[in-house]
Amino acid sequence: MKDSIQEQLIVARRNQILDAATKVFARKGFHPTTIRDIAREAGIADGTIYNYFENKTALMLGILDRLNESDRRNEDFAKFTEGDFRSFTKAYFRHRLTALKADNFEIFRVVISEILVNQELRELYYRKIIEPTFTMAETYFQQWAEQHIVKSTNMRLAMRAISGMVLGLIIEYLMGDTTLETAWDELPDVLTDMIMDGLRSEKP
């Protein structure tokens, strides 16, 4: 019981720090932000942050991990075992796209710009977050292909193509695409239909 309470306190403190870091990074950018700025936002002493995160790069990696929802991806995929794969796909896209839009676009703008120029962060992000997520998704989709739920194809490429499509939409949104701004909620249906059916007309 004591260990469980201690773990909950650690998780709560980490989330408090990450919440503060997210707000300050989104407001000031990565480089101008200091650990002191984040500590002040969180209402804690500067040194407390170092008990949980080694540096600003580790903080940014923690934010990326939360945006990726790494801790719930296995549960998300495991929910689907049989039944309506189209409905599952739409629900999954709807959750991910809604979570991204909910006050996260500004921090995503900072994240993307930093990943492009920060080699250390980029390599850590790929090795610790992206690669494990792809591996997990590939495993589930391969199982579904063997059950004839989805088409058998190169799952490694398929996962990256789907991920790239979503990332591209986020970048277009950040660039000020008014169509995406006004119709973001329609994307889960459109993405699902494109992936499941393509763009070919049903009529000959």
Side-chain angles (χ1 to χ4, degrees), residues 57-71:
T57 297
L59 276 165
M60 183 63 84
L61 193 66
I63 291 171
L64 285 164
D65 197 39
R66 288 211 306 186
L67 287 172
N68 187 62
E69 295 186 320
S70 302
D71 59 341

Side-chain angles (χ1 to χ4, degrees), residues 73-84:
R73 283 302 181 95
N74 191 55
E75 179 185 349
D76 286 341
F77 285 122
K79 286 178 182 176
F80 179 80
T81 54
E82 60 183 19
D84 187 353

